[in-house]
Amino acid sequence: MAVDTKKSLRNQVLYSIYVRNYSKEGTFAAVQADLDRIKALGTDIIWLLPIHPTGEKNRKGSLGSPYAIRDYRAVNPEFGTLDDFRHLVDAIHARGMKCIIDVVYNHTSQDSVLVENHPDYFYQDADGKPMYRFWNDVYDLDYSNEALCDYMVETALMWAKLGVDGYRCDVAPMVPLNFWSRARAEMDKINPDFIWLAETHHYPFLTRMRDRGWNLHSDAEMYQAFDITYDYDVHYFYEDYLKGKGTLKEYVDGLNRQKAMYPMNYIKMRFLENHDQVRVCSLVHTDEQLRMWTAFSYFLKGPALIYAGQEFKVAKRTDVT
């Protein structure tokens, strides 16, 4: 656990938004117009899925994955301008909420600014060209390059100076821990209350990648630099139970093991669904069950996540590509 992590983060409510799918307009301004309603849900922190321009080369689907980013230092023009984003952040702050954004530092789109200008920032194939290790619409960044580390730290600080209050870090264990520790130390000079949320992995994914020789970090390691990690280490027990594949005891036992596996002040983000998982209302089919599971998630140790649409009992998963 980062030594200066505040346990009060356990009591927060996050609301997750993908700007493109959130409204008919798909803009920052449309999100801003709905802030009072979002605040009324008890929201403390708004988490925006990637706000940056999306790559076109080998993109997934017709619009591309928001996790295949073309330029870390720009906003997607479909969402609005940088000033529109600043206005949104200011409006969030005016309502007593914080704003965190998704950062995707493991990889970029295959036509990104960095691919075009700094191909040496990436893992290289046998022909010396940028390569991917897992997802075929991106190229993976190689943090053994100190110039890359400098660029990414500078980028992280840039958004903080624009008012962003924290980061949800995509596939964080695939990026070297020493980079995250450096980025946090530099960020502390600007905002010591900056929130660091790591998307950590299901253990089968972690072990599979390690078996391939990749140095992915465990949840326990990630707490050295991060305030909050995902609860994927137990989430699959919850889903298996609701699908009739497992028992409730397996899920509860997993929750209890967390108390022994992590620091005493560990913080896990608790969720019934997120943009990568099925909607909870596709698993539970009565209002009573939904109320029970929602209440249960709020009483666990860790901030509770509402994924936009969850409050309306949306049952169909939205594809973000």
Side-chain angles (χ1 to χ4, degrees), residues 187-310:
M187 188 68 72
D188 283 347
K189 299 174 184 177
I190 295 175
N191 180 5
D193 295 321
F194 202 80
I195 300 166
W196 293 88
L197 164 61
E199 182 204 19
T200 45
H201 301 304
H202 298 78
Y203 89 85
F205 179 82
L206 182 69
T207 55
R208 187 167 70 250
M209 295 300 103
R210 284 181 167 184
D211 286 344
R212 293 183 181 181
W214 299 7
N215 184 26
L216 270 68
H217 302 296
S218 68
D219 287 36
E221 290 173 299
M222 297 305 287
Y223 277 126
Q224 296 177 53
F226 284 85
D227 302 304
I228 310 168
T229 65
Y230 270 42
D231 73 347
Y232 275 155
D233 55 327
V234 297
H235 185 77
Y236 63 98
F237 291 124
Y238 146 82
E239 281 199 356
D240 281 352
Y241 170 68
L242 292 181
K243 293 175 181 177
K245 298 179 181 179
T247 67
L248 186 59
K249 183 178 185 302
E250 288 175 306
Y251 179 45
V252 173
D253 286 348
L255 290 170
N256 285 328
R257 276 196 300 273
Q258 289 180 334
K259 299 176 184 178
M261 294 169 61
Y262 306 122
M264 284 189 67
N265 61 338
Y266 74 96
I267 303 177
K268 285 280 181 179
M269 185 174 72
R270 307 299 183 174
F271 50 88
L272 302 180
E273 60 181 60
N274 64 48
H275 68 277
D276 284 323
Q277 304 300 318
V278 298
R279 292 280 191 176
V280 62
C281 284
S282 70
L283 300 174
V284 302
H285 306 290
T286 70
D287 286 347
E288 181 181 11
Q289 283 181 310
L290 184 59
R291 285 194 297 269
M292 177 193 70
W293 279 106
T294 301
F296 182 72
S297 69
Y298 273 60
F299 281 108
L300 292 173
K301 288 182 178 180
L305 173 69
I306 304 170
Y307 177 41
Q310 183 177 337

Side-chain angles (χ1 to χ4, degrees), residues 11-12 14 32 41 80 88 92 99-100 131 149 207 217 219 223 240 246 248 254 259 267 277 282 308:
N11 304 323
Q12 303 291 286
L14 291 86
Q32 184 172 335
L41 295 172
L88 173 58
I92 290 170
C99 176
I100 68 174
M131 60 174 282
C149 296
T207 55
H217 302 296
D219 287 36
Y223 277 126
D240 281 352
L248 186 59
K259 299 176 184 178
I267 303 177
Q277 304 300 318
S282 70

